[in-house]
Amino acid sequence: MTKICIELLNGKKMNVELYEDIAPITVKNFLKLVDEDFFAGIVFHRVIKDFMCQGGGYYIKDGKYIDHKEAKSIVGEFESNGHKNDLKHVLGVISMARTNDPNSASSQFFLCVDNC
């Protein structure tokens, strides 16, 4: 397990645990983006009450959302895509966001703010 800290503009911090034993490709990708400062200045652009908040794809410039540079997509690490992964989307879990394509996760992630 690797621990990271997400610091918000207001100075509040969220401590996050990343589990390489469950999702090694995802964790490696996420940490690579952290090391590259990819997430510096990003915004949580999608917030759904009692579900999740999503970030990693946009930042704000002159009061407008700007698409972040694109990051390389990774293979989705979940059961229906051939990877054993019994992690549930419960309160506090961080997960990669993707489209309907199971291998489209890249830089966007979401934090569960409730049991999903």
Side-chain angles (χ1 to χ4, degrees):
M1 170 188 42
T2 300
K3 294 183 180 186
I4 63 168
C5 179
I6 298 173
E7 186 171 351
L8 305 176
L9 288 177
N10 64 6
K12 293 188 179 187
K13 296 178 181 179
M14 294 184 284
N15 295 311
V16 178
E17 296 175 350
L18 305 174
Y19 296 95
E20 296 95 338
D21 58 324
I22 297 173
I25 298 168
T26 301
V27 170
K28 181 178 179 181
N29 178 67
F30 195 83
L31 292 175
K32 176 183 168 286
L33 294 171
V34 168
D35 288 344
E36 294 172 353
D37 284 333
F38 185 94
F39 298 118
I42 59 117
V43 296
F44 285 100
H45 64 276
R46 184 173 179 223
V47 177
I48 301 175
K49 186 179 188 279
D50 300 326
F51 177 42
M52 62 85 195
C53 54
Q54 182 174 332
Y58 302 93
Y59 61 96
I60 294 178
K61 183 176 181 180
D62 299 327
K64 297 179 183 173
Y65 281 119
I66 306 296
D67 286 333
H68 205 305
K69 66 180 180 181
E70 194 151 327
K72 183 180 174 188
S73 296
I74 60 171
V75 173
E77 294 175 287
F78 40 87
E79 192 103 17
S80 64
N81 203 24
H83 295 268
K84 180 170 175 17
N85 181 343
D86 56 4
L87 188 65
K88 304 294 182 206
H89 286 103
V90 296
L91 176 65
V93 165
I94 186 171
S95 188
M96 295 304 293
R98 61 178 177 82
T99 66
N100 288 334
D101 177 348
N103 300 315
S104 62
S106 61
S107 64
Q108 293 195 39
F109 63 93
F110 62 94
L111 298 163
C112 296
V113 296
D114 203 343
N115 294 336
C116 304

